[in-house]
Amino acid sequence: MAEVDPAILDDKAERVNITLPRRVLARLDAKVRTAGETRSGYIAKLAIEARL
């Protein structure tokens, strides 16, 4: 038997509000356009890849 944290299985989206310097946001948006993704999707992918 293994214990699993139910939070890691929860895929329900939650709205968050973050503050970034304009220069960082501009770089993020450029990467997002190149990758053909959304800001949210790109940030989520980076967080998952960082194993957060």
Side-chain angles (χ1 to χ4, degrees), residues 7-26:
I8 64 171
L9 302 175
D10 185 6
D11 280 338
K12 183 177 178 186
E14 186 168 340
R15 188 185 238 343
V16 297
N17 193 17
I18 63 171
T19 303
L20 297 171
R22 286 183 192 171
R23 63 182 169 75
V24 173
L25 188 57

Side-chain angles (χ1 to χ4, degrees), residues 10-49:
D10 185 6
D11 280 338
K12 183 177 178 186
E14 186 168 340
R15 188 185 238 343
V16 297
N17 193 17
I18 63 171
T19 303
L20 297 171
R22 286 183 192 171
R23 63 182 169 75
V24 173
L25 188 57
R27 291 177 64 184
L28 175 63
D29 286 343
K31 289 282 189 182
V32 165
R33 275 191 302 276
T34 301
E37 299 185 36
T38 63
R39 261 188 207 161
S40 294
Y42 195 79
I43 291 170
K45 183 179 82 172
L46 292 174
I48 290 167
E49 288 173 355

